[in-house]
Amino acid sequence: MTTDRPVRVLMVCLGNICRSPTAEAVMVGLLEEEGLADRVEVASAGTGSWHVGNPPDERSAAAALRRGISLRGAAQQVRDADFADYDLLVAMDASNHADLLRLAGDDELRGKVVLLRALDPDAVAAGDTDVPDPYYGGPNGFDTVLDVVESGCRGLLAELRARGLV
């Protein structure tokens, strides 16, 4: 059963300049392709504060643009209110997942926290459920992030459908 209001999803990585804005843009594009853009609102944030206000990393933006995806916004940090404001907080890796669970405060709010690639059956089967952080890696890391985020977002969409949210 779908809800009367859009489902709100917050993509979360460490600094909110590489992985989570990429996941946000990929998910928005997928929702548009599926005709569900009016059913799900997607945003992103980071668990750390050092990039707050900065645009997405230029290398992430360039890799995304080569695929016709536009990264937007400015980095922000996860806030306590996000646990009430969002239906799902989607972590990019195990460290972000643990941080979100710690910040959540209670079991109900912890139930809103999911690991993106844990929703990708191929990633689970491979035992590789982290979206790698490309920040200090080579230029190919940003393309890898796009690949794994796309698979993860498809899994997220399947999860939203399974939960009857879209």
Side-chain angles (χ1 to χ4, degrees):
M1 171 178 273
T2 59
T3 61
D4 291 336
R5 65 166 181 78
V7 175
R8 299 194 73 220
V9 175
L10 185 66
M11 302 294 196
V12 180
C13 70
L14 188 59
N16 192 214
I17 59 168
C18 296
R19 296 173 291 170
S20 57
T22 297
E24 175 186 357
V26 168
M27 189 68 183
V28 166
L30 179 59
L31 291 165
E32 288 171 354
E33 285 175 19
E34 296 285 326
L36 296 169
D38 62 333
R39 300 293 308 140
V40 183
E41 293 176 7
V42 186
S44 64
T47 56
S49 64
W50 50 92
H51 294 296
V52 169
N54 292 343
D57 183 281
E58 291 178 5
R59 299 165 296 172
S60 286
L65 198 54
R66 285 193 297 272
R67 297 186 189 196
I69 300 167
S70 179
L71 303 189
R72 59 190 171 129
Q76 60 183 349
Q77 187 174 14
V78 172
R79 304 167 299 125
D80 289 340
D82 291 336
F83 289 92
D85 293 344
Y86 289 91
D87 299 294
L88 287 176
L89 288 87
V90 182
M92 296 298 113
D93 65 27
S95 177
N96 304 139
H97 187 255
D99 287 342
L100 288 172
L101 291 174
R102 181 181 47 76
L103 292 169
D106 67 39
D107 287 342
E108 180 182 347
L109 297 177
R110 280 189 283 278
K112 294 182 171 191
V113 178
V114 297
L115 184 60
L116 180 65
R117 292 195 73 205
L119 303 172
D120 176 356
D122 292 335
V124 172
D128 184 13
T129 55
D130 282 350
V131 175
D133 189 343
Y135 190 78
Y136 291 110
N140 292 340
F142 296 93
D143 288 312
T144 299
V145 166
L146 281 156
D147 292 339
V148 299
V149 160
E150 182 178 345
S151 295
C153 286
R154 291 190 185 285
L156 175 57
L157 180 55
E159 178 69 14
L160 294 174
R161 285 182 165 135
R163 292 185 184 198
L165 297 173
V166 296

